[in-house]
């Protein structure tokens, strides 16, 4: 694989400035992965605070029970054995589940978690386990229920499972039927281009859903297939066995809820004082907790001495909330801002792999960690890639275009190329005729305007209509030129659809399953050959394939 760095389009974002080691931004986080001493310091801090976290052996027991639902890989089993060791640390990265593996960025995040754990283990000389935290407690089904592929015709097609009727439960608690899965698989089979790898791909996906699992569980099974051989351990945040162990931290989040809000507001002020906009502003009185209820996953707020939801479904006193933590902690769940604290309570988190948006909201969390007697783990920017297919490389060469130009300036480059195909100089001729017409028409406009004031407006409208018709003829002429070069225009569109589909980064649109279908499982495994970059960054990967 040939690999080169790409220019980050937003170099002033908080995530990019952090990635590049800007000292002003780094103060928000406390540590940076590029600093060797920070890794040692974080490990030492975790050793000193082991008694304040959940019992790691009990956590490991819960994770073992969950892995039994997934395809077995000896390397993942070895990772669980490591977790039983008192000196083991973890690298965590998480995401909402995605249908059939979801977007490429999820694959890249799991890859980053595995590579970061491997690098940290070498750096520290002690066991470090990669853990992927599936946000199964999230109730936004529409974020998880789809995957995009490129069809045989070159367009982007979304395969999705419609949310079942009923309340908006956590994704891991949303029951799906075999009919849901069969319909999704049938559509995927119909839309994926036929390749030598397609039958085995569909068969493997079918094997994951024979028991009509939730979206989260099917997703975990696929991630296990992709990264189990690399020792990745899967965790569902909505796992009832883990919830039982989280009760003490839920108690802290409830008892000190107003202090949590104050700390988050302090974090927001620190971010804003450096000239950054907030990723999402915290709501006044927000408890930063959810309650799993028959009517759905309800966001809780504090109103006086009670915890309520805005629609009036529930209202609990402090004591009633604390009873939940003792007797039914699985009724509670965290949100995006309290989840990092729970994560740090549950596991010895050496480092967390985060995408750009996640880094932006983690920027406000340092005061919250300190409020709860914790310190921020190392934050490792997720590695980001654009994959350049062989046939697209040939098209770029044909049009003397770089991949970066194709992604950042495709429309202008395409227009310039199309203009060069105009052997009649239509653009120049139309410009000349328009100007000549305007010059000839000016005296007429002046004359009729002097005859009657109302005729001035009529003359302007008449002129504009004639110019509009000229523009229409010009556009039809350009279309005629394009039609003469229709095959080449389609090739320009093929470049764009591959590198920046829907005008978005490739990794945010296409699913991993799209490339798996084109190039087989070898394409998946070869990513482990890509050199690890501890501070991430956008890279272009050009690989020779057999597809």
């Amino acid at each position: 694989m040939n690999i080169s760095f790409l220019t980050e389009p937003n170099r002033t974002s908080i995530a990019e400035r952090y990635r590049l080691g800007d000292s002003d931004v780094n103060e928000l986080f406390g540590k940076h992965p590029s600093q060797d001493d920070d890794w040692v310091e974080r490990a030492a801090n975790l050793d000193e605070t082991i008694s304040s976290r959940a019992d790691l052996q009990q956590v490991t027991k819960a994770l073992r029970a969950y892995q039994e639902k997934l395809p077995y890989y000896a390397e993942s089993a070895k990772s669980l054995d490591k977790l039983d060791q008192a000196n083991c640390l973890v690298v965590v990265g998480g995401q909402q589940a995605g249908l059939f593996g979801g977007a490429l960025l999820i694959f890249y995040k799991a890859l980053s978690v595995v590579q970061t754990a491997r690098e940290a283990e070498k750096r520290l000389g002690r066991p470090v386990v990669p853990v992927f935290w599936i946000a199964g407690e999230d109730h936004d089904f529409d974020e998880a229920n789809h995957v995009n592929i490129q069809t045989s015709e070159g367009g982007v097609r979304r395969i999705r499972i419609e949310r079942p009727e009923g309340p908006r439960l956590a994704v891991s608690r949303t029951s799906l039927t075999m009919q849901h899965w069969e319909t999704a698989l049938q559509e995927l089979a119909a839309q994926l281009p036929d390749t030598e790898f397609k039958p085995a791909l569909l068969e493997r996906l079918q094997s994951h859903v024979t028991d009509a699992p939730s979206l989260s569980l099917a997703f975990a099974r696929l991630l296990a297939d992709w990264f189990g051989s690399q020792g990745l351990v899967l965790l569902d945040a909505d796992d009832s066995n883990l919830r039982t162990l989280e009760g003490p931290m839920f108690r802290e989040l409830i008892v000190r809820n107003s202090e949590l809000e104050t700390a988050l507001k302090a974090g927001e002020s620190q971010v804003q004082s450096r000239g950054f906009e907030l990723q999402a502003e915290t709501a006044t009185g927000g408890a930063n907790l959810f309650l799993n209820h028959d009517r759905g996953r309800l966001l809780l707020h504090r109103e006086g001495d009670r915890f309520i939801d805005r629609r009036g479904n529930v209202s609990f006193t402090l004591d009633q909330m604390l009873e939940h933590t003792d007797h039914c902690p699985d009724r509670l769940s965290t949100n995006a801002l309290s989840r990092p604290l729970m994560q740090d309570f549950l596991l010895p988190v050496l480092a967390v792999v985060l995408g750009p948006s996640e880094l932006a909201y983690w920027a406000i969390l340092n005061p919250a960690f300190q409020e709860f007697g914790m310190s921020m783990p190392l934050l490792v920017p997720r590695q980001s890639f654009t994959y350049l297919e062989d046939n697209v490389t040939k098209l770029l060469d044909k049009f003397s275009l770089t991949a970066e130009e194709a992604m950042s300036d495709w429309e202008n480059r395409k227009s310039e190329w199309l203009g060069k195909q105009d052997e009649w100089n239509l653009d120049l001729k139309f410009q000349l005729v328009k100007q000549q017409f305007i010059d000839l028409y000016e005296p007429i406009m002046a004359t009729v305007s002097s005859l009657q004031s109302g005729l001035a407006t009529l003359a302007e409208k008449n002129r504009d209509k004639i110019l509009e018709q000229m523009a229409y003829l010009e556009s039809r002429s350009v279309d005629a030129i394009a039609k003469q070069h229709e095959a080449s225009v389609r090739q320009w569109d093929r470049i764009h659809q591959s590198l920046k589909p829907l005008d978005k980064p490739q990794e945010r649109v296409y699913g991993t399953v799209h490339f798996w279908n084109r190039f087989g499982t070898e394409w998946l495994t070869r990513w482990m050959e890509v050199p690890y970059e501890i501070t991430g960054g956008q890279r272009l990967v050009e690989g020779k394939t057999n597809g």
Side-chain angles (χ1 to χ4, degrees):
M1 289 183 170
N2 297 321
I3 303 166
S4 56
F5 276 93
L6 295 169
T7 302
E8 168 60 45
N10 186 4
R11 297 182 66 82
T12 61
S13 70
I14 195 168
E16 183 63 4
R17 286 178 60 183
Y18 170 75
R19 190 184 75 79
L20 295 174
D22 185 314
S23 59
D24 190 38
V25 172
N26 288 356
E27 289 176 0
L28 295 169
F29 301 96
K31 302 179 184 67
H32 196 270
S34 65
Q35 301 300 313
D36 292 343
D37 290 348
D38 286 351
W39 291 88
V40 176
E41 181 184 330
R42 175 60 179 171
N45 173 263
L46 291 170
D47 291 338
E48 293 166 1
T49 56
I50 189 170
S51 61
S52 63
R53 292 194 298 276
D55 185 327
L56 189 55
Q57 288 190 331
Q58 291 300 312
V59 173
T60 305
K61 182 179 178 181
L63 293 178
R64 278 203 172 95
Y66 184 70
Q67 306 308 303
E68 289 176 0
K69 304 174 185 178
L70 314 179
Y72 176 80
Y73 287 89
E75 293 81 1
S76 289
K78 289 177 183 176
S79 289
L80 288 168
D81 291 341
K82 285 183 182 181
L83 269 178
D84 266 336
Q85 301 175 31
N87 68 334
C88 186
L89 306 174
V90 303
V91 170
V92 180
Q95 200 79 28
Q96 168 75 289
L99 179 63
F100 302 136
L104 273 168
L105 66 87
I106 298 176
F107 182 88
Y108 297 150
K109 180 174 280 188
L111 172 70
S112 300
V113 170
V114 168
Q115 290 188 321
T116 302
R118 191 166 296 173
E119 172 70 17
E121 192 166 84
K122 293 177 185 176
R123 186 184 292 257
L124 297 175
R126 58 189 291 182
V128 180
V129 168
V131 176
F132 196 93
W133 182 290
I134 301 168
E137 63 189 359
D138 201 313
H139 61 278
D140 194 341
F141 193 81
D142 290 339
E143 280 192 4
N145 71 341
H146 62 272
V147 67
N148 294 322
I149 60 166
Q150 191 179 80
T151 64
S152 301
E153 293 75 32
V156 177
R157 177 63 180 251
R158 174 162 289 191
I159 313 297
R160 60 186 291 136
I161 290 179
E162 295 298 332
R163 186 178 71 83
E165 294 292 328
R168 292 185 176 275
L169 305 175
V171 171
S172 291
R173 302 185 187 204
T174 301
S175 298
L176 299 178
T177 65
M178 274 309 301
Q179 184 60 51
H180 284 114
W181 285 112
E182 290 296 340
T183 300
L185 280 167
Q186 287 169 10
E187 186 177 3
L188 182 69
Q191 296 300 329
L192 275 177
D194 290 331
T195 69
E196 62 182 294
F197 309 110
K198 182 176 175 180
L201 177 156
L202 294 172
E203 183 179 351
R204 191 57 182 166
L205 292 178
Q206 178 72 55
S207 74
H208 291 155
V209 300
T210 54
D211 56 347
S214 67
L215 264 176
S216 299
L217 183 53
F219 172 76
R221 288 169 175 168
L222 189 51
L223 273 190
D225 270 350
W226 290 344
F227 291 101
S229 63
Q230 305 300 324
L232 185 67
V233 173
L234 281 303
L235 175 156
D236 188 335
D238 200 46
D239 184 356
S240 59
N241 291 326
L242 289 178
R243 282 282 185 255
T244 301
L245 303 175
E246 293 173 351
M249 189 61 196
F250 276 124
R251 173 175 283 271
E252 287 293 302
L253 291 170
I254 292 167
V255 169
R256 300 165 64 188
N257 200 260
S258 61
E259 289 90 339
L260 172 60
E261 180 182 355
T262 300
L264 292 174
K265 289 295 185 184
E268 289 179 341
S269 296
Q270 291 177 7
V271 169
Q272 290 174 315
S273 69
R274 287 165 170 79
F276 295 106
E277 293 184 2
L278 297 175
Q279 181 73 11
E281 191 168 359
T282 57
T284 300
N288 294 290
L289 292 170
F290 284 90
L291 181 84
N292 292 303
H293 189 270
D294 291 343
R295 297 192 178 183
R297 184 170 178 249
L298 308 178
L299 180 62
L300 297 178
H301 299 265
R302 290 190 325 280
E303 189 171 281
D305 59 353
R306 304 188 75 86
F307 289 80
I308 65 166
D309 77 300
R310 292 298 195 205
R311 294 186 178 180
N313 293 300
V314 297
S315 176
F316 297 110
T317 65
L318 175 63
D319 287 341
Q320 288 173 324
M321 286 293 292
L322 294 179
E323 284 180 16
H324 285 118
T325 71
D326 292 332
H327 304 299
C328 47
D330 62 326
R331 293 198 69 190
L332 300 170
S333 69
T334 54
N335 75 347
L337 296 176
S338 55
R339 184 183 302 144
L341 301 173
M342 181 64 77
Q343 190 173 268
D344 219 61
F345 168 77
L346 197 64
L347 295 163
V349 181
L350 175 67
V352 182
V353 172
L354 299 173
S357 296
E358 293 170 308
L359 274 167
Y361 76 72
W362 272 69
I364 75 167
L365 291 180
N366 208 9
F369 273 92
Q370 293 173 0
E371 175 63 35
F372 285 82
M374 302 172 173
S375 65
M376 188 93 81
L378 285 148
L379 305 184
V380 178
R382 172 181 65 78
Q383 297 181 92
S384 180
F385 304 100
T386 297
Y387 185 73
L388 182 57
E389 301 175 54
D390 295 347
N391 58 351
V392 176
T393 300
K394 293 172 184 175
L395 294 178
L396 291 172
D397 291 341
K398 175 181 176 179
F399 298 116
S400 300
L401 194 66
T402 68
E404 198 149 11
E405 289 169 342
M407 286 185 279
S408 63
D409 199 30
W410 174 79
E411 192 68 55
N412 287 332
R413 298 282 178 167
K414 179 184 174 184
S415 297
E416 288 174 7
W417 176 85
L418 206 53
K420 292 177 182 176
Q421 314 312 308
D422 175 14
E423 59 188 89
W424 302 276
N425 293 319
L426 285 177
D427 182 53
L428 184 60
K429 288 180 179 177
F430 271 99
Q431 285 186 35
L432 182 62
V433 169
K434 286 176 188 175
Q435 190 58 53
Q436 288 175 340
F437 165 71
I438 291 171
D439 292 342
L440 289 169
Y441 200 73
E442 280 294 333
I444 295 175
M445 289 184 64
T447 300
V448 299
S449 297
S450 65
L451 291 173
Q452 185 178 328
S453 60
L455 290 176
T457 301
L458 180 60
E460 288 180 4
K461 289 182 178 178
N462 187 49
R463 178 200 62 194
D464 292 345
K465 282 184 179 181
I466 294 171
L467 290 172
E468 184 181 328
Q469 288 300 310
M470 287 184 180
Y472 174 72
L473 179 60
E474 183 180 7
S475 68
R476 291 297 302 270
S477 302
V478 171
D479 288 345
I481 294 173
K483 194 168 184 63
Q484 290 182 356
H485 299 278
E486 195 168 354
S488 293
V489 170
R490 283 200 302 269
Q491 290 173 339
W492 274 92
D493 293 342
R494 169 79 178 96
I495 292 170
H496 193 59
Q497 284 289 75
S498 176
L499 298 180
K500 203 168 182 184
L502 307 180
D503 279 329
K504 297 177 182 178
Q506 182 194 75
E507 63 182 23
R508 294 189 173 275
V509 177
Y510 289 131
T512 306
V513 69
H514 162 72
F515 291 95
W516 178 12
N517 181 63
R518 283 185 63 81
F519 307 121
T521 55
E522 182 189 356
W523 187 87
L524 302 172
T525 58
R526 288 194 65 194
W527 282 97
M528 291 308 300
E529 301 172 13
V530 175
Y532 175 62
E533 288 289 338
I534 203 163
T535 55
Q538 303 229 8
R539 283 183 283 174
L540 181 73
V541 175
E542 181 182 358
K544 295 298 179 184
T545 62
N546 56 3

